[in-house]
Amino acid sequence: MAPAEIASLRRALGLSQEQFGQLFGAHSMTISKWERGLLSPSAYQQALLAQFRQTADKQQAVDQEKVKKLLIGAGVVAALVWLLGSGS
């Protein structure tokens, strides 16, 4: 995983470097170095990163579907309000 992808994943999870490091048994400075490309995660940590990315992507897809349904539902409600309001 590229340094920018590591930083993006951490932010997508809403974690500080310290919190993210706790997930991987790494110091926050190590996470900073990963994100700047000065160090690379071990093979085990890379595998964990990939799993977290996959999970984050799935959750994002679920969240997007919920928002889509909400917007569609809100659109229907707004259309009904408009139709009912224009009849008076």
Side-chain angles (χ1 to χ4, degrees), residues 1-21:
M1 188 174 285
E5 292 174 307
I6 294 171
S8 174
L9 173 60
R10 179 180 60 78
R11 286 191 295 274
L13 294 172
L15 300 174
S16 67
Q17 288 179 336
E18 183 177 351
Q19 293 166 327
F20 197 67

Side-chain angles (χ1 to χ4, degrees), residues 13-33:
L13 294 172
L15 300 174
S16 67
Q17 288 179 336
E18 183 177 351
Q19 293 166 327
F20 197 67
Q22 289 174 354
L23 293 174
F24 299 95
H27 192 274
S28 61
M29 288 303 298
T30 301
I31 301 303
S32 174
K33 290 177 181 180

Side-chain angles (χ1 to χ4, degrees), residues 81-88:
V81 169
W82 179 76
L83 286 171
L84 294 173
S86 66
S88 338

